[in-house]
Amino acid sequence: MRVSVIGCGHLGIPHAAGMAHLGHEVLGVDLDAAKIDQLSRGEAPIFEAGLPELLTKHTSSGQLRFTTSIAEAAAFADVHFLAVGTPIDADGRSYDPGQLFGAARALAPHLTRPCTIIGKSTVTVGTTAHLTRLVQRLAPAGEAVHVVWNPEFLREGHAVEDTLRPDRLVAGLTSPDAEAVVREVFAPILADGCPLFVTTPETAELIKGAANTFLGLKVSFINAVADMCTAAGADVIPLVQALGMDPRIGTGGMQPGIGYGGGCLPKDVRAFTASAAHLGANDAAELLRAAERINENRSHSAAALIEAHLARPLNGARIAMWGASFKAGTNDVRESPALALASLLHTRGAQVTVHDPHANATAIVRHPELDYADTTAEASRDADAVVIGTEWPQFRDANPANLRPLVHNPLVIDLRNVLDADLWRVNGWTVHQLGRPQPTR
């Protein structure tokens, strides 16, 4: 099939490359001419495992092209994926659909033949119905243009894998013709056994918000329990393992840390909480708001933990922050807990030097007040404490013996519980991990 992907960001680029890999002819569309030029050269402007190889392969073959012209996309494709951003609105509690409706308004006047628009973005319930009325009013093809909501469930750092081998597909639609298009465009994935849930658009819209919000609840829950473990002298790691043996619970997403971040989870939890309140589901809104508060307080709790173990005031302390991305596997720093903590330490007078294997360049744009280093060794030189804020495997594999002579004080605060604490202690370090007891001497 000929498909377009409108919006080339963290969602749109992997999706466009994935559709090409499935055998479709794909045209990616974005208003950023510099980004389009880069993508046309087969170069990825974001870090995702496996993405550079897909881009190189399919741009070289001509299976995947990019343009700034939405009119070209309308003339080329019969299926149009909307993958534009839906950031949080100025009220801080709902989605801003400006980019979504802007893309639809730009596309619709060029739709002169039957086609299907498939929305990927996370939206407020009811958006599909509004978008359908708008598009069918503006498009010359009128009611021959169908709108489907097909929310994405990508994990950043695994976007290529999740695009090509998702654990489920959801399609909110209102016509058999639209369902037939969905089944055709995703035919290779469905043939591999991926389940397809065909629902109403409203159900599809709520599924995505509910999924991310549940993950946020799970993260906040285990972080609250980790604090209980710290207070009680208990160990959160076997606790999680034992909880996860219950198939109703599972261990996925229950890694204690300094909170969830990124471009999806924080805004989705906020918007879903607001939707619950708007719909009058007040008990749900109260529960979800509690999870938000736990997450919002994580950086302050971490700063207090660091100061408690420094044995000196934060003001003037040299802190090495290992990690800037909100999670390992991506260079995305949107709402990164590690950067939020680094910035908070900076405002309290600490000299913070950040190192991330892939996200230094994106981090410095958002937080130019911090210092940055190209290696863990450079970041840690003369440090009073090393703080691990992102769970990169490079940090787990760092050599504590080599780092020990570089620091002023051999203290590591492992906020992601990635280190072999015994190995570091043998090499002269004091190690503190979230929700884990200190060894008795």
Side-chain angles (χ1 to χ4, degrees):
M1 300 182 74
R2 287 186 164 190
V3 307
S4 77
V5 177
I6 300 169
C8 293
H10 284 273
L11 166 60
I13 298 172
H15 188 70
M19 289 296 102
H21 198 67
L22 293 177
H24 302 300
E25 295 181 67
V26 182
L27 185 62
V29 186
D30 200 278
L31 297 177
D32 187 335
K35 183 192 292 184
I36 290 300
D37 288 343
Q38 185 178 4
L39 288 166
S40 297
R41 295 192 300 270
E43 300 173 2
I46 60 174
F47 176 75
E48 277 287 344
L51 183 58
E53 293 82 359
L54 283 191
L55 282 175
T56 299
K57 177 179 180 179
H58 296 300
T59 55
S60 297
S61 70
Q63 192 85 8
L64 173 61
R65 298 185 295 110
F66 294 92
T67 182
T68 58
S69 172
I70 204 158
E72 181 183 356
F76 170 81
D78 296 310
V79 178
H80 304 281
F81 286 98
L82 295 182
V84 298
T86 49
I88 209 72
D89 208 342
D91 64 4
R93 306 300 307 173
S94 57
Y95 298 112
D96 179 355
Q99 294 180 51
L100 182 68
F101 280 89
R105 285 181 178 277
L107 176 66
H110 302 287
L111 300 178
T112 59
R113 63 184 189 276
C115 64
T116 303
I117 296 173
I118 302 180
K120 300 292 294 181
S121 310
T122 309
V123 294
T124 302
V125 64
T127 298
T128 308
H130 294 151
L131 198 69
T132 300
R133 290 192 292 270
L134 173 70
V135 168
Q136 292 182 347
R137 177 169 58 85
L138 297 179
E143 293 183 2
V145 178
H146 300 289
V147 179
V148 175
W149 220 257
N150 167 230
E152 53 83 17
F153 299 96
L154 304 185
R155 299 165 298 162
E156 287 196 43
H158 304 271
V160 170
E161 173 71 17
D162 290 347
T163 297
L164 298 177
R165 284 169 287 276
D167 50 22
R168 79 282 204 193
L169 290 169
V170 173
L173 46 83
T174 58
S175 80
D177 289 344
E179 181 177 345
V181 170
V182 168
R183 291 188 179 278
E184 184 177 357
V185 78
F186 289 115
I189 293 173
L190 297 176
D192 283 341
C194 177
L196 171 64
F197 293 88
V198 177
T199 73
T200 65
E202 293 78 11
T203 303
E205 291 161 344
L206 282 172
I207 285 171
K208 173 58 190 297
N212 271 359
T213 302
F214 185 81
L215 291 175
L217 282 166
K218 206 170 184 182
V219 172
S220 289
F221 169 78
I222 202 59
N223 282 334
V225 171
D227 289 345
M228 295 174 67
C229 287
T230 297
D235 192 336
V236 74
I237 299 302
L239 183 149
V240 167
Q241 293 169 342
L243 282 180
M245 294 301 294
D246 187 328
R248 297 169 299 176
I249 299 174
T251 58
M254 282 212 300
Q255 177 64 39
I258 47 175
Y260 54 79
C264 292
L265 223 59
K267 69 167 184 170
D268 289 352
V269 175
R270 292 180 195 127
F272 201 73
T273 304
S275 289
H278 178 73
L279 294 169
N282 295 324
D283 288 345
E286 186 177 343
L287 170 67
L288 301 178
R289 184 66 190 119
E292 283 189 276
R293 283 194 294 270
I294 292 171
N295 199 63
E296 291 162 0
N297 290 336
R298 294 311 287 170
S299 59
H300 293 276
S301 298
L305 177 70
I306 293 166
E307 188 164 33
H309 293 302
L310 265 177
R312 56 154 296 166
L314 275 173
N315 188 27
R318 298 174 64 93
I319 305 295
M321 176 62 70
W322 291 8
S325 59
F326 82 93
K327 61 178 284 189
T330 178
N331 65 346
D332 193 350
V333 299
R334 291 174 293 177
E335 300 214 35
S336 163
L339 277 183
L341 174 58
S343 182
L344 177 61
L345 295 173
H346 173 81
T347 62
R348 294 186 179 180
Q351 181 180 333
V352 184
T353 302
V354 176
H355 166 70
D356 190 285
H358 294 282
N360 274 10
T362 48
I364 198 171
V365 173
R366 289 179 178 257
H367 288 279
E369 76 277 9
L370 304 174
D371 294 325
Y372 294 85
D374 292 331
T375 66
T376 53
E378 182 185 346
S380 305
R381 192 172 299 278
D382 297 325
D384 294 302
V386 171
V387 177
I388 299 180
T390 308
E391 67 280 14
W392 285 102
Q394 292 93 324
F395 302 159
R396 180 196 62 217
D397 298 335
N399 189 320
N402 292 344
L403 291 166
R404 172 65 182 85
L406 301 178
V407 298
H408 177 260
N409 179 35
L411 168 66
V412 60
I413 310 292
D414 182 6
L415 298 175
R416 295 291 190 175
N417 289 357
V418 298
L419 298 183
D420 180 343
D422 290 338
L423 174 64
W424 282 68
R425 290 181 179 118
V426 165
N427 282 279
W429 290 79
T430 299
V431 182
H432 294 276
Q433 295 181 302
L434 283 180
R436 307 212 68 186
Q438 289 295 104
T440 56
R441 300 186 183 277

